[in-house]
Amino acid sequence: MIRDHDRIYTDRGHERRRIMEYNSKKVKKRVRFTDGAGNALSGCNIGIKQTEHAFLFGCGGFDFIKYVMEGEDEYKQLTDSWLDVFNYATLPFYWGNYETEEGKPEKEKLLKTAQYLKDKGVKVKGHPLCWHTACADWLMKYDNAVIMEKQLERIDREVTGFKGVIDIWDVINEVVIMPIFDKYDNAITRICKEKGRVGLVKEVFDKAHECNPEATLLINDFNTSINYEILIDGCLNAGVPISAIGIQSHQHQGYWGREKLEEVLDRYSHFGLPIHFTENTLISGEIMPGHIVDLNDWQVDEWPSTPEGEARQAKEVEEMYRILFAHPLVEAITTWDFRDGAWLNAPSGFVRKDNSRKPSYEMLKKLIKEEWWTDTTVKTDADGYAEIDAFKGDYRIVLNDTETEAEFVDDNEQTVVLG
Amino acid sequence: MIRDHDRIYTDRGHERRRIMEYNSKKVKKRVRFTDGAGNALSGCNIGIKQTEHAFLFGCGGFDFIKYVMEGEDEYKQLTDSWLDVFNYATLPFYWGNYETEEGKPEKEKLLKTAQYLKDKGVKVKGHPLCWHTACADWLMKYDNAVIMEKQLERIDREVTGFKGVIDIWDVINEVVIMPIFDKYDNAITRICKEKGRVGLVKEVFDKAHECNPEATLLINDFNTSINYEILIDGCLNAGVPISAIGIQSHQHQGYWGREKLEEVLDRYSHFGLPIHFTENTLISGEIMPGHIVDLNDWQVDEWPSTPEGEARQAKEVEEMYRILFAHPLVEAITTWDFRDGAWLNAPSGFVRKDNSRKPSYEMLKKLIKEEWWTDTTVKTDADGYAEIDAFKGDYRIVLNDTETEAEFVDDNEQTVVLG
């Protein structure tokens, strides 16, 4: 039995926790506002209007390629919806597609698309530089030494060639299974078998880091077991320059739930590195049977989105994003498909096949652009100081008809000059 | 249908394989025999009599402590049987027993026993320097920094203190489970949680290596899954000075069989390091039910050795030792219990509780001291050369009434001086 004062206490505790929860994603500090001559702007009402999140709210950006290269109307509506919510896009660099014929990489369309996204304020990640799946078949005619050489040249070409436009890379994908992947022969499994997991990880990261020392370099895996923990532990002790730990969370077989999410976060927090949820899927249709081990084995003609499924998806999106956004080390969440019917033909998007927005879209937009979004006015004191309590990100700072831009990302002392 | 010539071919193939199988454990070379003045011993019949294996045929040597310290008759019979077969003993350095009270290690009895074994030509391994089980409870009153300091001091004390008598150490035991071991709180799980597996492995190995750069340093685990592979991969890439990979094989729940053995050998061969089977158990009684996860949970008052069990055990010992001895990277096999009724009260020994020898004892003795043992005579040519085809180890070289000692361990050119 809960007595009334218990309930009140509980509610208050809950509320306090909710307020505390996102502290890692906010700045709380005194900021000084001055005019161009350095005079304090005393007793002014100053508008603090967020224009972008520091947090990376991501989604697959594959559809932008078609839009940028072909400019079809259908894609305009789609990409507009995308841009209303997200600030971080994953673009495909699967070797087998990017360089179907040796020596003829499809650089132009990727560079144009990435540049388009950058101009829209979107950060872009290239995915992936080294992976055994979707790899170039022509590599297999070479011996392992040459394959390795070509892998490193490829990393140099992409990381150097896109520097300034793409500065975030999934350097290597799914290393836990890489040397024992046995569905088909491929060049990368061959070199991973020879060099060992950590040896290969080290070489590809060292090359990527050498080509762009400022880049954010990710290791990425769907395996969240102890295997991946030990792999990362080994890599870090071997000096591999990993910037962030990538965790895939394709949940075609059902939502992980709070307990598993928190358990995974807990285990991967030990390293103290930023955590990126790199490939998230929550579906709005029937759940894929649990006996399927490789998700790619589930091939269906139709996989409809249902009203009940869409309600469930929105609820799961809310809970999952709340848990992840609240975690101090999580710095990015990327949902894999923006529109239904992409990978595996699944109802995995925020919009349906006809581009109409699902409840999950509205839910996530509300979180990102309302609840976790700062749009307020502060009053400065006699010395021009005001307390800023704001989600980390970019801001327009407005005083009457003057305005400027500011970035609030940490609790360091800061002065904003207006006019 | 097998036609006769097929059968012959098959039998010959089998025979050839059997002969080839142990090549890695043999030397095949020309050796020159001279007298003390350097003159060739031409046309002489020279006895090549093996006195010891280079391969480490090991067994738990815990019983030697009682024998050496108390000298009881019961132990004389036991240790004599032991010494008839083995050349490699594991002695216990469990921190919780070795140093029950802080600052009062039981060095004397271990040093005396190790020295006794060394004098008998037996190599000794200390087991283990760092482990979460059987750890000293008094460590838990310290914070993690002090625990770590005491762990490293302990390694220094033992590795330096026993140098020359014990030069082989299980440096760290069961690291895969170490940071997630949750049966009870202990000091080592605490520091492993904090430092991570590879971080802790590196520190303890670096210390052991610093204290005795010539020592053989092992990592050891019962987990033979991909976890342990990735752990070793990470450690090697992080520069951990691992001399040999230790694999436990307690088979209370049934013999692994050829397929699993070869699969494990195959996976752990990738590192190119020597492999030691460090803790082998094959029982001669009823098999422990498969649902038991931690073998220590199987507590029984009686676990009899049976005639059928003993026949099975001897067969399994033969097959397993043949497979391991044939593998080029395997350099040691240690059976855990010499006598029945030791760990878990299991019928796991080569001798029964009354010290009588089991069929497995006779089988293993036949392999080690007959089939894999060289006792032959060679005839030198005009220049004093003879072809030596012998199992690696120590030899008495006999010509009439003169003799000398020689070590045959590699295929390098060698001269043996007689008289």
Side-chain angles (χ1 to χ4, degrees), chain A residues 112-152:
Chain A
K112 269 196 176 162
T113 307
Q115 186 64 56
Y116 174 86
L117 284 159
K118 191 190 170 189
D119 294 343
K120 294 278 184 190
V122 173
K123 290 204 171 74
V124 180
K125 179 173 74 174
H127 167 86
L129 291 168
C130 179
W131 191 28
H132 53 277
T133 302
C135 190
D137 285 340
W138 50 260
L139 278 166
M140 287 195 285
K141 67 173 178 279
Y142 297 113
D143 67 24
N144 286 2
V146 175
I147 292 170
M148 191 63 214
E149 205 177 286
K150 290 191 180 286
Q151 171 66 72
L152 296 179

mmCIF file of all heavy atoms in Angstrom, chain A residues 112-152:
data_model
loop_
_atom_site.group_PDB
_atom_site.id
_atom_site.type_symbol
_atom_site.label_atom_id
_atom_site.label_comp_id
_atom_site.label_asym_id
_atom_site.label_seq_id
_atom_site.Cartn_x
_atom_site.Cartn_y
_atom_site.Cartn_z
ATOM 1 N N LYS A 112 29.677 15.122 -52.944
ATOM 2 C CA LYS A 112 28.608 16.113 -53.142
ATOM 3 C C LYS A 112 27.547 15.986 -52.052
ATOM 4 O O LYS A 112 27.062 16.985 -51.509
ATOM 5 C CB LYS A 112 27.936 15.889 -54.512
ATOM 6 C CG LYS A 112 28.564 16.680 -55.636
ATOM 7 C CD LYS A 112 27.629 16.709 -56.840
ATOM 8 C CE LYS A 112 28.193 17.581 -57.949
ATOM 9 N NZ LYS A 112 27.562 17.303 -59.244
ATOM 10 N N THR A 113 27.158 14.765 -51.756
ATOM 11 C CA THR A 113 26.113 14.542 -50.753
ATOM 12 C C THR A 113 26.588 14.972 -49.377
ATOM 13 O O THR A 113 25.867 15.636 -48.629
ATOM 14 C CB THR A 113 25.696 13.057 -50.742
ATOM 15 O OG1 THR A 113 25.352 12.659 -52.066
ATOM 16 C CG2 THR A 113 24.518 12.834 -49.819
ATOM 17 N N ALA A 114 27.813 14.593 -49.043
ATOM 18 C CA ALA A 114 28.355 14.958 -47.734
ATOM 19 C C ALA A 114 28.459 16.481 -47.608
ATOM 20 O O ALA A 114 28.133 17.058 -46.569
ATOM 21 C CB ALA A 114 29.716 14.306 -47.530
ATOM 22 N N GLN A 115 28.868 17.104 -48.692
ATOM 23 C CA GLN A 115 28.997 18.569 -48.678
ATOM 24 C C GLN A 115 27.624 19.220 -48.511
ATOM 25 O O GLN A 115 27.466 20.195 -47.763
ATOM 26 C CB GLN A 115 29.666 19.031 -49.975
ATOM 27 C CG GLN A 115 29.980 20.515 -50.013
ATOM 28 C CD GLN A 115 31.004 20.938 -48.944
ATOM 29 O OE1 GLN A 115 32.104 20.395 -48.883
ATOM 30 N NE2 GLN A 115 30.634 21.893 -48.090
ATOM 31 N N TYR A 116 26.627 18.656 -49.189
ATOM 32 C CA TYR A 116 25.250 19.173 -49.073
ATOM 33 C C TYR A 116 24.797 19.095 -47.623
ATOM 34 O O TYR A 116 24.267 20.056 -47.055
ATOM 35 C CB TYR A 116 24.325 18.353 -49.970
ATOM 36 C CG TYR A 116 22.864 18.717 -49.823
ATOM 37 C CD1 TYR A 116 22.302 19.762 -50.571
ATOM 38 C CD2 TYR A 116 22.033 18.034 -48.934
ATOM 39 C CE1 TYR A 116 20.968 20.112 -50.422
ATOM 40 C CE2 TYR A 116 20.702 18.373 -48.783
ATOM 41 C CZ TYR A 116 20.166 19.410 -49.526
ATOM 42 O OH TYR A 116 18.844 19.746 -49.366
ATOM 43 N N LEU A 117 25.026 17.957 -47.005
ATOM 44 C CA LEU A 117 24.621 17.770 -45.602
ATOM 45 C C LEU A 117 25.388 18.730 -44.694
ATOM 46 O O LEU A 117 24.812 19.343 -43.796
ATOM 47 C CB LEU A 117 24.858 16.317 -45.184
ATOM 48 C CG LEU A 117 23.816 15.327 -45.736
ATOM 49 C CD1 LEU A 117 24.350 13.901 -45.728
ATOM 50 C CD2 LEU A 117 22.513 15.409 -44.917
ATOM 51 N N LYS A 118 26.669 18.852 -44.948
ATOM 52 C CA LYS A 118 27.467 19.762 -44.128
ATOM 53 C C LYS A 118 26.913 21.184 -44.223
ATOM 54 O O LYS A 118 26.806 21.892 -43.214
ATOM 55 C CB LYS A 118 28.930 19.721 -44.595
ATOM 56 C CG LYS A 118 29.857 20.442 -43.621
ATOM 57 C CD LYS A 118 31.258 20.653 -44.127
ATOM 58 C CE LYS A 118 31.985 21.606 -43.168
ATOM 59 N NZ LYS A 118 33.283 22.039 -43.687
ATOM 60 N N ASP A 119 26.558 21.585 -45.425
ATOM 61 C CA ASP A 119 26.007 22.932 -45.613
ATOM 62 C C ASP A 119 24.695 23.118 -44.862
ATOM 63 O O ASP A 119 24.318 24.233 -44.515
ATOM 64 C CB ASP A 119 25.799 23.214 -47.110
ATOM 65 C CG ASP A 119 27.130 23.278 -47.862
ATOM 66 O OD1 ASP A 119 28.185 23.421 -47.196
ATOM 67 O OD2 ASP A 119 27.121 23.163 -49.106
ATOM 68 N N LYS A 120 24.001 22.026 -44.630
ATOM 69 C CA LYS A 120 22.744 22.089 -43.865
ATOM 70 C C LYS A 120 23.003 21.976 -42.364
ATOM 71 O O LYS A 120 22.066 21.822 -41.569
ATOM 72 C CB LYS A 120 21.813 20.929 -44.291
ATOM 73 C CG LYS A 120 21.322 21.021 -45.733
ATOM 74 C CD LYS A 120 20.141 21.971 -45.814
ATOM 75 C CE LYS A 120 19.554 22.026 -47.226
ATOM 76 N NZ LYS A 120 18.564 23.118 -47.358
ATOM 77 N N GLY A 121 24.258 21.988 -41.963
ATOM 78 C CA GLY A 121 24.584 21.899 -40.533
ATOM 79 C C GLY A 121 24.626 20.480 -39.992
ATOM 80 O O GLY A 121 24.612 20.270 -38.774
ATOM 81 N N VAL A 122 24.623 19.519 -40.903
ATOM 82 C CA VAL A 122 24.602 18.114 -40.483
ATOM 83 C C VAL A 122 26.031 17.551 -40.465
ATOM 84 O O VAL A 122 26.785 17.761 -41.421
ATOM 85 C CB VAL A 122 23.719 17.288 -41.453
ATOM 86 C CG1 VAL A 122 23.811 15.795 -41.143
ATOM 87 C CG2 VAL A 122 22.276 17.777 -41.403
ATOM 88 N N LYS A 123 26.384 16.882 -39.379
ATOM 89 C CA LYS A 123 27.681 16.185 -39.352
ATOM 90 C C LYS A 123 27.514 14.841 -40.061
ATOM 91 O O LYS A 123 26.459 14.213 -39.992
ATOM 92 C CB LYS A 123 28.134 15.962 -37.910
ATOM 93 C CG LYS A 123 28.527 17.264 -37.221
ATOM 94 C CD LYS A 123 29.504 16.975 -36.070
ATOM 95 C CE LYS A 123 30.097 18.238 -35.505
ATOM 96 N NZ LYS A 123 29.122 19.001 -34.669
ATOM 97 N N VAL A 124 28.575 14.400 -40.729
ATOM 98 C CA VAL A 124 28.467 13.180 -41.521
ATOM 99 C C VAL A 124 29.489 12.139 -41.044
ATOM 100 O O VAL A 124 30.637 12.470 -40.755
ATOM 101 C CB VAL A 124 28.698 13.475 -43.021
ATOM 102 C CG1 VAL A 124 28.580 12.192 -43.853
ATOM 103 C CG2 VAL A 124 27.712 14.531 -43.517
ATOM 104 N N LYS A 125 29.017 10.899 -40.964
ATOM 105 C CA LYS A 125 29.920 9.784 -40.659
ATOM 106 C C LYS A 125 30.017 8.863 -41.869
ATOM 107 O O LYS A 125 28.996 8.545 -42.504
ATOM 108 C CB LYS A 125 29.400 8.990 -39.464
ATOM 109 C CG LYS A 125 30.311 7.797 -39.115
ATOM 110 C CD LYS A 125 29.906 7.093 -37.840
ATOM 111 C CE LYS A 125 28.668 6.264 -38.051
ATOM 112 N NZ LYS A 125 28.332 5.460 -36.856
ATOM 113 N N GLY A 126 31.214 8.433 -42.199
ATOM 114 C CA GLY A 126 31.412 7.450 -43.261
ATOM 115 C C GLY A 126 31.429 6.048 -42.666
ATOM 116 O O GLY A 126 32.074 5.797 -41.656
ATOM 117 N N HIS A 127 30.702 5.146 -43.312
ATOM 118 C CA HIS A 127 30.515 3.783 -42.762
ATOM 119 C C HIS A 127 30.671 2.754 -43.853
ATOM 120 O O HIS A 127 29.947 2.824 -44.843
ATOM 121 C CB HIS A 127 29.118 3.686 -42.159
ATOM 122 C CG HIS A 127 28.694 2.277 -41.838
ATOM 123 N ND1 HIS A 127 29.001 1.670 -40.652
ATOM 124 C CD2 HIS A 127 27.991 1.359 -42.556
ATOM 125 C CE1 HIS A 127 28.484 0.451 -40.648
ATOM 126 N NE2 HIS A 127 27.885 0.227 -41.783
ATOM 127 N N PRO A 128 31.483 1.751 -43.669
ATOM 128 C CA PRO A 128 32.656 1.629 -42.808
ATOM 129 C C PRO A 128 33.896 1.571 -43.695
ATOM 130 O O PRO A 128 33.786 1.354 -44.905
ATOM 131 C CB PRO A 128 32.419 0.277 -42.140
ATOM 132 C CG PRO A 128 31.735 -0.527 -43.230
ATOM 133 C CD PRO A 128 31.095 0.436 -44.193
ATOM 134 N N LEU A 129 35.074 1.711 -43.112
ATOM 135 C CA LEU A 129 36.314 1.659 -43.892
ATOM 136 C C LEU A 129 36.832 0.233 -44.044
ATOM 137 O O LEU A 129 37.518 -0.072 -45.007
ATOM 138 C CB LEU A 129 37.381 2.545 -43.234
ATOM 139 C CG LEU A 129 37.087 4.047 -43.315
ATOM 140 C CD1 LEU A 129 38.017 4.832 -42.395
ATOM 141 C CD2 LEU A 129 37.190 4.551 -44.750
ATOM 142 N N CYS A 130 36.536 -0.613 -43.092
ATOM 143 C CA CYS A 130 37.010 -2.008 -43.153
ATOM 144 C C CYS A 130 35.913 -2.922 -42.631
ATOM 145 O O CYS A 130 35.482 -2.789 -41.480
ATOM 146 C CB CYS A 130 38.290 -2.152 -42.314
ATOM 147 S SG CYS A 130 38.954 -3.833 -42.287
ATOM 148 N N TRP A 131 35.459 -3.829 -43.481
ATOM 149 C CA TRP A 131 34.400 -4.773 -43.090
ATOM 150 C C TRP A 131 34.450 -5.968 -44.035
ATOM 151 O O TRP A 131 34.715 -5.811 -45.222
ATOM 152 C CB TRP A 131 33.028 -4.073 -43.175
ATOM 153 C CG TRP A 131 31.882 -4.834 -42.548
ATOM 154 C CD1 TRP A 131 31.948 -5.723 -41.529
ATOM 155 C CD2 TRP A 131 30.498 -4.735 -42.927
ATOM 156 N NE1 TRP A 131 30.687 -6.180 -41.230
ATOM 157 C CE2 TRP A 131 29.773 -5.599 -42.072
ATOM 158 C CE3 TRP A 131 29.800 -4.006 -43.902
ATOM 159 C CZ2 TRP A 131 28.398 -5.759 -42.169
ATOM 160 C CZ3 TRP A 131 28.429 -4.155 -44.002
ATOM 161 C CH2 TRP A 131 27.725 -5.018 -43.139
ATOM 162 N N HIS A 132 34.140 -7.130 -43.476
ATOM 163 C CA HIS A 132 34.180 -8.348 -44.304
ATOM 164 C C HIS A 132 32.943 -8.477 -45.196
ATOM 165 O O HIS A 132 32.978 -9.169 -46.202
ATOM 166 C CB HIS A 132 34.318 -9.582 -43.416
ATOM 167 C CG HIS A 132 33.289 -9.661 -42.326
ATOM 168 N ND1 HIS A 132 33.445 -8.995 -41.131
ATOM 169 C CD2 HIS A 132 32.090 -10.286 -42.255
ATOM 170 C CE1 HIS A 132 32.386 -9.229 -40.363
ATOM 171 N NE2 HIS A 132 31.553 -10.003 -41.028
ATOM 172 N N THR A 133 31.848 -7.826 -44.810
ATOM 173 C CA THR A 133 30.620 -7.896 -45.608
ATOM 174 C C THR A 133 30.608 -6.740 -46.613
ATOM 175 O O THR A 133 31.188 -5.691 -46.358
ATOM 176 C CB THR A 133 29.400 -7.806 -44.668
ATOM 177 O OG1 THR A 133 29.481 -8.871 -43.712
ATOM 178 C CG2 THR A 133 28.098 -7.925 -45.429
ATOM 179 N N ALA A 134 29.901 -6.924 -47.727
ATOM 180 C CA ALA A 134 29.785 -5.898 -48.764
ATOM 181 C C ALA A 134 31.162 -5.402 -49.189
ATOM 182 O O ALA A 134 31.365 -4.230 -49.490
ATOM 183 C CB ALA A 134 28.910 -4.734 -48.291
ATOM 184 N N CYS A 135 32.112 -6.317 -49.182
ATOM 185 C CA CYS A 135 33.486 -5.982 -49.525
ATOM 186 C C CYS A 135 33.686 -6.159 -51.033
ATOM 187 O O CYS A 135 32.874 -6.784 -51.716
ATOM 188 C CB CYS A 135 34.423 -6.893 -48.734
ATOM 189 S SG CYS A 135 36.130 -6.384 -48.868
ATOM 190 N N ALA A 136 34.753 -5.592 -51.550
ATOM 191 C CA ALA A 136 35.023 -5.692 -52.990
ATOM 192 C C ALA A 136 35.529 -7.092 -53.342
ATOM 193 O O ALA A 136 36.530 -7.547 -52.794
ATOM 194 C CB ALA A 136 36.055 -4.648 -53.378
ATOM 195 N N ASP A 137 34.821 -7.744 -54.268
ATOM 196 C CA ASP A 137 35.221 -9.101 -54.665
ATOM 197 C C ASP A 137 36.584 -9.127 -55.351
ATOM 198 O O ASP A 137 37.325 -10.096 -55.230
ATOM 199 C CB ASP A 137 34.169 -9.707 -55.605
ATOM 200 C CG ASP A 137 32.928 -10.138 -54.834
ATOM 201 O OD1 ASP A 137 33.027 -10.314 -53.601
ATOM 202 O OD2 ASP A 137 31.863 -10.277 -55.464
ATOM 203 N N TRP A 138 36.868 -8.041 -56.095
ATOM 204 C CA TRP A 138 38.123 -8.055 -56.868
ATOM 205 C C TRP A 138 39.362 -8.140 -55.969
ATOM 206 O O TRP A 138 40.451 -8.475 -56.427
ATOM 207 C CB TRP A 138 38.197 -6.853 -57.818
ATOM 208 C CG TRP A 138 37.924 -5.503 -57.197
ATOM 209 C CD1 TRP A 138 36.755 -4.791 -57.256
ATOM 210 C CD2 TRP A 138 38.833 -4.706 -56.428
ATOM 211 N NE1 TRP A 138 36.875 -3.612 -56.576
ATOM 212 C CE2 TRP A 138 38.148 -3.526 -56.062
ATOM 213 C CE3 TRP A 138 40.156 -4.863 -56.023
ATOM 214 C CZ2 TRP A 138 38.741 -2.517 -55.297
ATOM 215 C CZ3 TRP A 138 40.751 -3.856 -55.253
ATOM 216 C CH2 TRP A 138 40.036 -2.702 -54.902
ATOM 217 N N LEU A 139 39.207 -7.830 -54.679
ATOM 218 C CA LEU A 139 40.354 -7.941 -53.761
ATOM 219 C C LEU A 139 40.857 -9.376 -53.634
ATOM 220 O O LEU A 139 42.026 -9.620 -53.346
ATOM 221 C CB LEU A 139 39.947 -7.462 -52.364
ATOM 222 C CG LEU A 139 39.955 -5.967 -52.090
ATOM 223 C CD1 LEU A 139 39.193 -5.693 -50.798
ATOM 224 C CD2 LEU A 139 41.373 -5.429 -52.009
ATOM 225 N N MET A 140 39.923 -10.314 -53.828
ATOM 226 C CA MET A 140 40.263 -11.713 -53.539
ATOM 227 C C MET A 140 41.277 -12.304 -54.502
ATOM 228 O O MET A 140 41.813 -13.373 -54.232
ATOM 229 C CB MET A 140 38.995 -12.561 -53.482
ATOM 230 C CG MET A 140 38.201 -12.272 -52.219
ATOM 231 S SD MET A 140 36.953 -13.521 -51.894
ATOM 232 C CE MET A 140 35.734 -13.105 -53.117
ATOM 233 N N LYS A 141 41.547 -11.613 -55.620
ATOM 234 C CA LYS A 141 42.575 -12.157 -56.520
ATOM 235 C C LYS A 141 43.992 -11.884 -55.998
ATOM 236 O O LYS A 141 44.964 -12.418 -56.515
ATOM 237 C CB LYS A 141 42.394 -11.608 -57.937
ATOM 238 C CG LYS A 141 42.650 -10.122 -58.115
ATOM 239 C CD LYS A 141 42.591 -9.762 -59.617
ATOM 240 C CE LYS A 141 42.780 -8.276 -59.875
ATOM 241 N NZ LYS A 141 41.547 -7.497 -59.663
ATOM 242 N N TYR A 142 44.105 -11.042 -54.967
ATOM 243 C CA TYR A 142 45.436 -10.705 -54.429
ATOM 244 C C TYR A 142 45.789 -11.580 -53.227
ATOM 245 O O TYR A 142 44.908 -12.133 -52.559
ATOM 246 C CB TYR A 142 45.459 -9.232 -54.012
ATOM 247 C CG TYR A 142 45.257 -8.281 -55.171
ATOM 248 C CD1 TYR A 142 44.108 -7.497 -55.262
ATOM 249 C CD2 TYR A 142 46.216 -8.167 -56.182
ATOM 250 C CE1 TYR A 142 43.918 -6.619 -56.323
ATOM 251 C CE2 TYR A 142 46.038 -7.291 -57.245
ATOM 252 C CZ TYR A 142 44.884 -6.524 -57.315
ATOM 253 O OH TYR A 142 44.714 -5.663 -58.360
ATOM 254 N N ASP A 143 47.075 -11.636 -52.923
ATOM 255 C CA ASP A 143 47.472 -12.338 -51.697
ATOM 256 C C ASP A 143 47.267 -11.412 -50.503
ATOM 257 O O ASP A 143 47.002 -10.223 -50.655
ATOM 258 C CB ASP A 143 48.910 -12.873 -51.793
ATOM 259 C CG ASP A 143 49.957 -11.772 -51.838
ATOM 260 O OD1 ASP A 143 49.683 -10.648 -51.361
ATOM 261 O OD2 ASP A 143 51.065 -12.026 -52.356
ATOM 262 N N ASN A 144 47.397 -11.961 -49.312
ATOM 263 C CA ASN A 144 47.054 -11.202 -48.113
ATOM 264 C C ASN A 144 47.869 -9.924 -47.937
ATOM 265 O O ASN A 144 47.341 -8.908 -47.480
ATOM 266 C CB ASN A 144 47.209 -12.078 -46.864
ATOM 267 C CG ASN A 144 46.076 -13.086 -46.754
ATOM 268 O OD1 ASN A 144 45.213 -13.153 -47.627
ATOM 269 N ND2 ASN A 144 46.071 -13.848 -45.679
ATOM 270 N N ALA A 145 49.130 -9.964 -48.305
ATOM 271 C CA ALA A 145 49.961 -8.769 -48.141
ATOM 272 C C ALA A 145 49.425 -7.642 -49.008
ATOM 273 O O ALA A 145 49.340 -6.483 -48.571
ATOM 274 C CB ALA A 145 51.411 -9.086 -48.497
ATOM 275 N N VAL A 146 49.027 -7.975 -50.234
ATOM 276 C CA VAL A 146 48.503 -6.948 -51.151
ATOM 277 C C VAL A 146 47.116 -6.479 -50.688
ATOM 278 O O VAL A 146 46.801 -5.283 -50.738
ATOM 279 C CB VAL A 146 48.462 -7.490 -52.598
ATOM 280 C CG1 VAL A 146 47.816 -6.479 -53.534
ATOM 281 C CG2 VAL A 146 49.862 -7.840 -53.065
ATOM 282 N N ILE A 147 46.290 -7.403 -50.205
ATOM 283 C CA ILE A 147 44.966 -7.000 -49.690
ATOM 284 C C ILE A 147 45.144 -5.976 -48.567
ATOM 285 O O ILE A 147 44.485 -4.935 -48.539
ATOM 286 C CB ILE A 147 44.176 -8.225 -49.165
ATOM 287 C CG1 ILE A 147 43.789 -9.148 -50.329
ATOM 288 C CG2 ILE A 147 42.921 -7.777 -48.416
ATOM 289 C CD1 ILE A 147 43.220 -10.499 -49.900
ATOM 290 N N MET A 148 46.071 -6.246 -47.675
ATOM 291 C CA MET A 148 46.296 -5.336 -46.545
ATOM 292 C C MET A 148 46.760 -3.974 -47.034
ATOM 293 O O MET A 148 46.299 -2.937 -46.551
ATOM 294 C CB MET A 148 47.340 -5.959 -45.602
ATOM 295 C CG MET A 148 47.447 -5.242 -44.272
ATOM 296 S SD MET A 148 45.911 -5.324 -43.311
ATOM 297 C CE MET A 148 45.931 -3.732 -42.501
ATOM 298 N N GLU A 149 47.664 -4.005 -47.991
ATOM 299 C CA GLU A 149 48.171 -2.764 -48.582
ATOM 300 C C GLU A 149 47.014 -1.955 -49.177
ATOM 301 O O GLU A 149 46.892 -0.750 -48.965
ATOM 302 C CB GLU A 149 49.147 -3.176 -49.683
ATOM 303 C CG GLU A 149 50.215 -2.202 -50.057
ATOM 304 C CD GLU A 149 51.106 -2.871 -51.114
ATOM 305 O OE1 GLU A 149 51.911 -3.764 -50.745
ATOM 306 O OE2 GLU A 149 50.949 -2.535 -52.301
ATOM 307 N N LYS A 150 46.153 -2.644 -49.913
ATOM 308 C CA LYS A 150 45.036 -1.960 -50.573
ATOM 309 C C LYS A 150 44.027 -1.450 -49.540
ATOM 310 O O LYS A 150 43.411 -0.405 -49.709
ATOM 311 C CB LYS A 150 44.377 -2.880 -51.599
ATOM 312 C CG LYS A 150 45.295 -3.093 -52.790
ATOM 313 C CD LYS A 150 44.641 -3.757 -53.977
ATOM 314 C CE LYS A 150 45.664 -3.918 -55.090
ATOM 315 N NZ LYS A 150 46.008 -2.661 -55.785
ATOM 316 N N GLN A 151 43.864 -2.211 -48.453
ATOM 317 C CA GLN A 151 42.973 -1.750 -47.390
ATOM 318 C C GLN A 151 43.489 -0.436 -46.792
ATOM 319 O O GLN A 151 42.727 0.496 -46.570
ATOM 320 C CB GLN A 151 42.864 -2.832 -46.302
ATOM 321 C CG GLN A 151 42.132 -2.401 -45.050
ATOM 322 C CD GLN A 151 40.651 -2.112 -45.283
ATOM 323 O OE1 GLN A 151 39.859 -3.015 -45.484
ATOM 324 N NE2 GLN A 151 40.268 -0.832 -45.279
ATOM 325 N N LEU A 152 44.782 -0.367 -46.563
ATOM 326 C CA LEU A 152 45.343 0.847 -45.966
ATOM 327 C C LEU A 152 45.315 2.008 -46.953
ATOM 328 O O LEU A 152 45.017 3.146 -46.583
ATOM 329 C CB LEU A 152 46.770 0.584 -45.458
ATOM 330 C CG LEU A 152 46.867 -0.451 -44.317
ATOM 331 C CD1 LEU A 152 48.316 -0.666 -43.899
ATOM 332 C CD2 LEU A 152 46.030 -0.041 -43.102
#
